[in-house]
Amino acid sequence: MEGTFHAILKLKIHKFVMSVYATSKSFPKEEKYGAISQINRASLSIMLNYIEGFARRKEKVKLQFYEISHGSLKESKYLLYFAYCQKWIEDVPYRKIIRDAEEISRMLWSTIDNIEKRTVFNIFFFIFLLIS
């Protein structure tokens, strides 16, 4: 089941990154080295850090990469909001891409939360074994 969750999350992130890249193509050309570059790098960083975290064995290392991925998602959301305020993105496409980002955010955060809970449980279990 966990594999299915992660496959779905990875696909959603991929579609989000593709949407961001497609959306940023309509930004003003003078933003090529500014907002366009930044939003593309931030959105791609979501996937790259997620994949790197997924490939790691140690829970703390996984957690670090997933948190970076989540941070990159938040950065992407702000850049999308900035573009919307600049009127580079219309209302309907903006709302859709933000809904997608929020769904990914919930999924990433549940992954982070589950790792943290397992880590805390393992610490308490280890302490219990030591004192019993």
Side-chain angles (χ1 to χ4, degrees):
M1 187 65 158
E2 186 174 326
T4 303
F5 175 85
H6 287 285
I8 292 167
L9 177 53
K10 193 163 83 170
L11 182 60
K12 286 182 183 296
I13 295 170
H14 172 73
K15 287 180 178 180
F16 177 78
V17 172
M18 298 301 287
S19 292
V20 168
Y21 267 73
T23 300
S24 71
K25 286 180 181 179
S26 68
F27 290 8
K29 298 301 174 212
E30 62 267 15
E31 288 296 328
K32 180 177 182 179
Y33 300 108
I36 295 171
S37 174
Q38 189 66 33
I39 198 167
N40 288 343
R41 285 184 289 117
S43 67
L44 191 57
S45 179
I46 301 164
M47 179 60 94
L48 296 176
N49 281 290
Y50 176 76
I51 290 170
E52 189 159 355
F54 189 78
R56 300 302 179 118
R57 266 189 35 217
K58 295 180 181 174
E59 295 280 282
K60 285 185 179 182
V61 178
K62 281 183 179 288
L63 185 61
Q64 181 179 6
F65 280 103
Y66 290 161
E67 286 178 341
I68 293 168
S69 179
H70 192 262
S72 294
L73 179 64
K74 294 295 188 178
E75 180 182 357
S76 298
K77 279 181 68 178
Y78 174 74
L79 288 161
L80 289 163
Y81 175 71
F82 178 80
Y84 176 72
C85 290
Q86 294 294 316
K87 307 219 182 307
W88 301 339
I89 306 174
E90 293 183 18
D91 191 58
V92 173
Y94 171 74
R95 290 181 189 282
K96 182 186 182 331
I97 202 166
I98 290 300
R99 267 195 316 272
D100 294 344
E102 288 170 352
E103 184 176 7
I104 292 165
S105 181
R106 285 189 297 273
M107 293 177 80
L108 265 175
W109 199 252
S110 74
T111 301
I112 290 166
D113 198 40
N114 286 336
I115 291 172
E116 287 176 336
K117 285 177 185 173
R118 281 195 309 262
T119 302
V120 169
F121 174 79
N122 289 341
I123 290 169
F124 283 123
F125 184 70
F126 180 72
I127 291 171
F128 174 77
L129 290 177
L130 285 176
I131 62 174
S132 42

